[in-house]
């Protein structure tokens, strides 16, 4: 391993106040837009600094960076809100939310739905640093974009196994968790560390404030693209359907389904690969136990909440049917929701689908429930 690819380290995580101060130094900003985010992020930092999290020096650096990134994003978002007050007038109508258990095809389906020129998604770099989306031809001249793109490219060179599980770069349409975490609420934190007190706290929270900020952020990012339908995606939507539907009452929800035995095993593998070398406790059976509990809890919460809403706002997608016929699956979603399946939409979906099937093969993603102390019977019982 060269010095350029060696992981960075810290002797400790630091306190919440310390990380806040670092975020302000980085941005030159101090307005966090209130204090709603503080309870969750403060508890998260305390959990991460505990012996239960078992963070290594590499883990200290990584998780501090995650919390700091949430705070930097919040600071910059508030500054952009003030700079572009007209964002509040942007209308968001019938947005599409793709959700489901991890590893059930949500990423591929999301990217196909976002391919329609009449649609827009959250590009990775804009989830990190929200701003009105600049013209695509200017992105390579933006220092924030180029820095993030370079970091993702280096990450995939250094971590080919992770690339085989979930490929992304600064231009990819990605999940909403980087926006939601600005409110201190995201199941992504539970997927990356053993944080039992934060998990217990999060399970009892009302997510409305997180989704109100989410909506404002979409209004900001889409300021220059008004009239294009939003297509969003995140497993967190499973646990917060009531808040989502309160903030977006006309939302269209696409739910992916896959054998939970496969989904849980693959999700555990994703967590293990993403956090390799970062903790002495978030490994093996601990990953298995925590991820099974979280995934089954969020799935049950979604099922209970879904019964309260109009069935016409939901469509279910089977993973195997989607893999066998991606184009037909997308066409079926358009038909279900009465969306315009235009020639331009068909052409772009076909192009993205063809691109995903061409080029060199990515590293194979191998995983087993036994690696995480789980059995098929345990998983089926929880689901």
């Amino acid at each position: 391993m060269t010095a350029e690819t060696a992981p960075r380290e810290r002797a400790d995580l630091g306190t919440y106040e310390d990380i806040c101060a670092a975020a302000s130094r980085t941005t030159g900003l101090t307005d966090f837009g209130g204090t709603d985010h503080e309870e969750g992020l403060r508890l998260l930092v305390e959990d991460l600094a505990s012996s239960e999290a078992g963070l290594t020096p590499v883990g200290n650096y990584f998780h501090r960076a995650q919390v700091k990134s949430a705070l930097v994003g919040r600071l910059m978002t508030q500054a952009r809100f003030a700079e572009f007050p007209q964002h509040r007038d942007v209308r968001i109508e019938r947005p599409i939310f793709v959700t489901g258990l991890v590893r059930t095809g949500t990423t591929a389906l999301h990217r196909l739905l976002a391919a329609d020129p009449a649609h827009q998604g959250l590009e990775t770099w804009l989830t990190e640093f929200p701003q009105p989306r600049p013209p695509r031809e200017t992105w390579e001249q933006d220092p924030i974009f180029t820095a993030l793109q370079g970091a993702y490219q280096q990450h995939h060179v250094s971590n080919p196994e992770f690339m085989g599980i979930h490929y992304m770069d600064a231009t990819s349409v990605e999940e909403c968790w980087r926006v939601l975490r600005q409110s201190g609420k995201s199941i992504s934190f539970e997927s990356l560390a053993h944080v039992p007190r934060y998990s217990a706290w999060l399970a009892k929270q009302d997510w409305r404030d997180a989704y109100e900020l989410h909506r404002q952020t979409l209004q900001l990012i889409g300021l220059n693209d008004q009239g294009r339908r939003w297509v969003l995606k995140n497993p967190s939507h499973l646990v917060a359907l009531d808040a989502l539907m309160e903030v977006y009452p006309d939302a269209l929800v696409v739910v992916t389904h896959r054998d939970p035995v496969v989904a849980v095993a693959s999700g555990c593998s994703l967590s293990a690969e993403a956090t390799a070398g970062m903790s002495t406790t978030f490994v093996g059976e601990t990953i298995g136990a925590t991820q099974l509990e979280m995934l089954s809890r969020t799935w049950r919460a979604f099922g209970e909440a879904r019964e309260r809403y109009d069935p016409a706002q939901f469509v279910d997608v089977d993973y195997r049917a989607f893999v066998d016929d991606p184009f037909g699956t997308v066409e079926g979603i358009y038909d279900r929701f009465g969306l315009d399946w235009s020639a331009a939409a068909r052409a772009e979906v076909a192009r993205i689908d063809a691109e995903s099937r061409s080029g060199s093969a990515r590293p194979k993603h191998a995983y087993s429930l036994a690696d995480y102390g789980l059995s098929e019977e345990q998983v089926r019982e929880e689901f």
Side-chain angles (χ1 to χ4, degrees):
M1 180 175 290
T2 68
E4 292 180 348
T5 60
R8 299 180 181 180
E9 302 180 354
R10 276 186 61 95
D12 59 56
L13 187 76
T15 65
Y16 174 74
E17 287 76 14
D18 173 41
I19 302 173
C20 281
S24 288
R25 287 195 301 272
T26 296
T27 61
L29 301 169
T30 58
D31 180 10
F32 286 99
T35 59
D36 291 348
H37 63 292
E38 288 189 0
E39 183 180 7
L41 290 180
R42 188 182 297 276
L43 180 58
L44 175 67
V45 170
E46 292 172 359
D47 242 6
L48 289 169
S50 72
S51 60
E52 286 177 287
L55 298 188
T56 65
V58 173
N60 284 329
Y61 183 91
F62 173 83
H63 286 287
R64 177 187 171 89
Q66 291 294 304
V67 176
K68 180 183 174 184
S69 182
L71 292 166
V72 165
R74 188 174 178 99
L75 284 166
M76 295 188 70
T77 298
Q78 294 302 319
R80 294 295 191 176
F81 285 167
E83 184 180 356
F84 300 97
Q86 65 270 35
H87 79 276
R88 293 182 177 275
D89 298 325
V90 175
R91 299 182 63 180
I92 298 177
E93 298 180 329
R94 300 187 78 204
I96 298 172
F97 288 84
V98 179
T99 194
L101 293 176
V102 294
R103 318 305 298 158
T104 58
T106 55
T107 297
L109 181 56
H110 177 219
R111 290 175 181 174
L112 287 178
L113 289 168
D116 185 339
H119 292 171
Q120 60 182 314
L122 278 172
E123 291 86 2
T124 303
W125 75 292
L126 295 175
T127 66
E128 294 271 12
F129 302 102
Q131 60 182 291
R133 185 185 293 107
R136 178 63 183 85
E137 63 271 15
T138 68
W139 291 6
E140 278 72 16
Q141 285 74 54
D142 188 302
I144 292 177
F145 172 84
T146 55
L148 283 172
Q149 185 73 314
Y152 281 115
Q153 290 171 348
Q154 183 59 56
H155 176 266
H156 289 306
V157 169
S158 305
N159 301 273
E161 287 296 324
F162 190 86
M163 186 180 75
I165 301 173
H166 182 83
Y167 181 84
M168 61 187 292
D169 63 21
T171 69
S172 302
V173 289
E174 264 298 326
E175 296 181 349
C176 306
W177 62 266
R178 290 179 182 81
V179 175
L180 293 170
R181 72 176 178 178
Q182 289 188 23
S183 298
K185 296 171 182 173
S186 176
I187 63 173
S188 66
F189 295 126
E190 298 181 81
S191 301
L192 297 171
H194 184 37
V195 284
R197 285 170 294 277
Y198 175 80
S199 294
W201 172 86
L202 187 62
K204 299 175 182 178
Q205 295 308 299
D206 182 334
W207 288 61
R208 281 178 293 182
D209 63 324
Y211 278 89
E212 289 288 357
L213 180 60
H214 181 277
R215 183 182 183 90
Q216 280 196 58
T217 304
L218 296 190
Q219 290 174 305
L220 174 72
I221 294 174
L223 183 61
N224 299 329
D225 295 285
Q226 298 184 46
R228 294 172 63 196
R229 186 189 311 278
W230 276 100
V231 182
L232 296 313
K233 171 254 193 181
N234 195 13
S236 283
H237 301 320
L238 289 176
V239 76
L241 183 62
D242 285 330
L244 186 158
M245 297 299 282
E246 182 170 340
V247 175
Y248 300 101
D250 59 351
L252 307 174
V253 184
V254 180
V255 190
T256 56
H257 298 262
R258 189 181 188 183
D259 183 346
V261 169
V262 179
V264 170
S266 186
C268 288
S269 177
L270 177 63
S271 291
E273 191 63 39
T275 60
M278 294 183 187
S279 171
T280 59
T281 59
F282 192 66
V283 295
E285 293 185 5
T286 298
I287 289 179
T290 58
Q291 299 313 290
L292 177 59
E293 188 281 328
M294 180 191 70
L295 294 171
S296 60
R297 166 170 42 90
T298 58
W299 187 249
R300 287 193 297 272
F302 179 81
E304 293 169 4
R306 178 174 173 171
E307 296 180 1
R308 294 190 277 273
Y309 302 101
D310 184 354
Q313 290 180 259
F314 296 82
V315 63
D316 297 284
V317 171
D318 177 75
Y319 175 81
R320 180 48 54 192
F322 171 55
V323 170
D324 290 343
D325 186 10
F327 189 89
T329 298
V330 173
E331 183 178 19
I333 292 170
Y334 273 68
D335 181 64
R336 165 73 172 180
F337 291 143
L339 307 179
D340 182 17
W341 187 228
S342 66
R346 294 195 299 271
E348 280 301 298
V349 169
R351 182 182 67 81
I352 296 296
D353 181 36
E355 283 184 358
S356 70
R357 299 167 186 270
S358 63
S360 58
R362 292 174 184 160
K364 181 177 175 59
H365 178 203
Y367 47 84
S368 168
L369 279 176
D371 294 338
Y372 307 101
L374 298 175
S375 67
E376 180 176 335
E377 291 73 21
Q378 282 178 280
V379 176
R380 296 208 183 283
E381 182 177 353
E382 285 297 313
F383 284 87

